[in-house]
Amino acid sequence: MSARLTVDMEVQGRKPLACDACGATFLGGGGEVCSACGAGMLEAAEVHALGEPERHVPDGLGRTGVEKALVSSVSAVRYRTAQLAVPTLMERAQLSWWPLWMVDGELLGTWRGRAGTDYEVQSSREVLQGGVWVTKPHIDTRIDWVDRVGQVRTSYDNVIVTALRAHDRWAERLGGLDGARAVEGEVGQGVIRLPDRHPREARPGAEAAFHRLAARQAHEALGSDHLADVVIDGSLRQEEWTWLLVPAWTTWYDDDAGERRALWVSGVTGRVWGPRMASQRKGLYWAALWVVLGLGCLAGSVVVGLVGIVLWPLLLLAAVGGLLGLLLMVLALVPVLTPWRHNRTQAAMTP
């Protein structure tokens, strides 16, 4: 296995950093919010990093695209907390680059499998037609299977393997973490998140990917219609492990309890993920307002009702005012229950 080992290194002007909360490692300038957990800050640290950037997926959003994504996401939250506002979130928005392993190597070994070729067999069938059984020709397509073996000695470049243990979870949340449409060249601003899967840990995934490519190549070389039960007995050689970087934006806000909540925005898909908390205090404020209005209507209806003893047509107005007051007091439950129910679902969205 070959890869470059760097200690206390700088890559493209970025210094080694680590999160003071989760311990995730990065390369950047320091003082950024950790894009791995969203809770800690990045501080200077001694970092042992394996690999270096080779390709990246361009950030397709920019700050304008991130703002549009946040507006769409945040506007759906009723009674949101004071800091869950797009201007505040944009002030804190930071770009980071998440890694994939990109492996170059040679696969050497043997393969065996069953190659299948389609052929047609003509037969006949009895079909009931117009009350009479009629014999009609029928053609079946069958497969002629033959065992095949061969040698594998081929090289593949830029085979993508996950570099983060939480990759699958984040791929489901944000999308766009497959490394598609990557280009060469240096990434721009933003911190670089370092892999937490050492090549030794990621190597089985790399071998499986190389085996799939070799099976596909064997299928093409045979020219058969089918290839099944392929078993490849081979090993990787002359490996080179580098990074393919994917953009993700991170921002944060404090909820009513003062707890920091992070939001993530994919720089590829524009999808937003993270808890968007509503304000229970704001809901109680609006509930109190509805209650006061309801009590006012009830009090007014009582006064009008007393006058209605003399001027009986006012009794109808008093009844309407009383019903309106009761309705407003019932509706006061809505701003109390809405934030509570919303926050129950959002609190489960933890990194």
Side-chain angles (χ1 to χ4, degrees):
M1 181 184 304
S2 174
R4 297 171 178 81
L5 178 64
T6 311
V7 181
D8 291 331
M9 71 175 183
E10 292 191 20
V11 172
Q12 299 175 1
R14 295 171 171 86
K15 299 179 180 179
L17 306 168
C19 174
D20 58 9
C22 69
T25 54
F26 296 80
L27 297 172
E32 295 92 346
V33 174
C34 175
S35 65
C37 68
M41 301 296 293
L42 303 186
E43 299 177 347
E46 182 177 326
V47 172
H48 296 259
L50 191 63
E52 64 179 7
E54 181 178 345
R55 292 190 176 191
H56 69 280
V57 178
D59 174 32
L61 295 184
R63 298 190 67 85
T64 301
V66 173
E67 184 174 5
K68 290 181 180 178
L70 289 173
V71 167
S72 176
S73 178
V74 168
S75 62
V77 182
R78 298 180 62 189
Y79 310 108
R80 54 183 176 270
T81 59
Q83 288 198 14
L84 188 57
V86 173
T88 302
L89 295 174
M90 288 305 301
E91 287 179 4
R92 300 167 177 174
Q94 299 170 354
L95 176 61
S96 60
W97 299 89
W98 293 10
L100 291 160
W101 281 121
M102 199 162 56
V103 188
D104 301 342
E106 181 184 62
L107 182 64
L108 179 63
T110 60
W111 69 271
R112 63 180 183 274
R114 299 169 61 228
T117 303
D118 293 335
Y119 67 97
E120 295 180 347
V121 176
Q122 184 171 339
S123 59
S124 61
R125 288 184 178 179
E126 298 293 325
V127 180
L128 184 61
Q129 185 174 335
V132 179
W133 288 100
V134 179
T135 302
K136 288 193 172 184
H138 177 74
I139 298 178
D140 289 319
T141 300
R142 300 180 183 179
I143 303 175
D144 181 22
W145 292 103
V146 179
D147 292 335
R148 298 293 191 197
V149 296
Q151 297 289 323
V152 175
R153 184 164 188 170
T154 184
S155 298
Y156 300 106
D157 295 332
N158 303 329
V159 177
I160 297 175
V161 185
T162 59
L164 299 173
R165 296 188 179 96
H167 176 92
D168 291 340
R169 291 202 304 272
W170 283 108
E172 182 178 355
R173 294 165 179 171
L174 296 177
L177 294 181
D178 55 1
R181 298 181 298 278
V183 299
E184 295 182 351
E186 295 185 358
V187 297
Q189 62 170 336
V191 297
I192 296 176
R193 185 175 176 182
L194 298 179
D196 58 18
R197 295 185 73 208
H198 191 278
R200 285 192 298 270
E201 181 181 347
R203 197 169 192 273
E207 289 181 335
F210 272 73
H211 286 181
R212 287 192 296 270
L213 291 172
R216 187 183 309 164
Q217 186 173 351
H219 189 186
E220 294 173 355
L222 286 172
S224 60
D225 297 310
H226 310 277
L227 185 63
D229 302 331
V230 179
V231 177
I232 296 178
D233 184 11
S235 58
L236 292 182
R237 301 173 53 189
Q238 301 179 2
E239 302 160 52
E240 291 285 345
W241 294 69
T242 54
W243 307 334
L244 189 159
L245 301 174
V246 182
W249 289 80
T250 309
T251 187
W252 61 274
Y253 66 97
D254 291 331
D255 62 16
D256 277 359
E259 182 177 353
R260 178 178 294 177
R261 305 282 186 172
L263 296 176
W264 288 263
V265 184
S266 168
V268 179
T269 65
R271 192 183 304 172
V272 180
W273 188 89
R276 297 161 298 150
M277 307 299 287
S279 172
Q280 197 73 53
R281 287 201 297 264
K282 187 178 291 185
L284 291 173
Y285 169 81
W286 282 102
L289 182 61
W290 286 113
V291 169
V292 169
L293 290 174
L295 290 174
C297 288
L298 288 175
S301 67
V302 171
V303 173
V304 174
L306 292 175
V307 177
I309 296 175
V310 179
L311 301 174
W312 63 267
L314 294 178
L315 291 176
L316 179 60
L317 181 61
V320 172
L323 290 175
L324 179 60
L326 291 174
L327 178 61
L328 290 174
M329 295 182 71
V330 172
L331 290 177
L333 293 174
V334 173
V336 173
L337 296 177
T338 299
W340 176 74
R341 294 180 60 184
H342 175 81
N343 289 347
R344 284 186 63 188
T345 60
Q346 296 296 306
M349 302 177 70
T350 54

